[in-house]
Amino acid sequence: MPLQIKLGAITLDCPEPLVLAEFYQQATGLEPHPKSNADFAGLIGEDGLLIGFQRVDGYRAPSWPGQTVPQQLHLCFNVGIEDGLGEVEARLLALGAAKPDHQPHDEAEARVLTDPVGHPFCLVRR
């Protein structure tokens, strides 16, 4: 019988937790954790999942798609068809995301972006 476990948190290393939490809060609408601070900030989803951001001195951004500095983590966000990948991408770029030249998927179905400190993430049309 498999274990009955549920994912409770995902934590990303970064140089400034509050800044990166604000980016993802604006991108997702998730609520900030009330005990967020300069060393660890978090966002809470309706299902209780916490996305955390922890300060790492000497943080080095991933070099996606290369592996000089591995990507460390890869998040995927579903985008409703009504929102459109292009519109969501434009909003995220305005918030500080970047779009790498290397796009391994059909851009009508998925796009790879990086957050303001270099973590790659996907927007996937659902």
Side-chain angles (χ1 to χ4, degrees), residues 73-109:
L73 176 80
H74 186 102
L75 299 172
C76 290
F77 294 98
N78 295 335
V79 176
I81 294 171
E82 66 281 356
D83 295 319
L85 287 176
E87 181 179 328
V88 173
E89 176 187 307
R91 286 183 27 223
L92 291 168
L93 292 172
L95 291 174
K99 184 176 181 181
D101 291 336
H102 179 68
Q103 294 292 314
H105 308 290
D106 174 353
E107 286 204 26
E109 299 300 321

Side-chain angles (χ1 to χ4, degrees), residues 2 6-7 13 19 21 26 39 42 48 50 55-56 63 68 73 75 78 96 101 112 114 122 126:
K6 179 181 176 185
L7 181 62
D13 291 349
V19 173
Q26 290 180 25
D39 290 321
L50 174 83
R55 176 180 302 282
V56 171
S63 58
T68 303
L73 176 80
L75 299 172
N78 295 335
D101 291 336
V112 177
T114 56
C122 285
R126 297 275 188 234

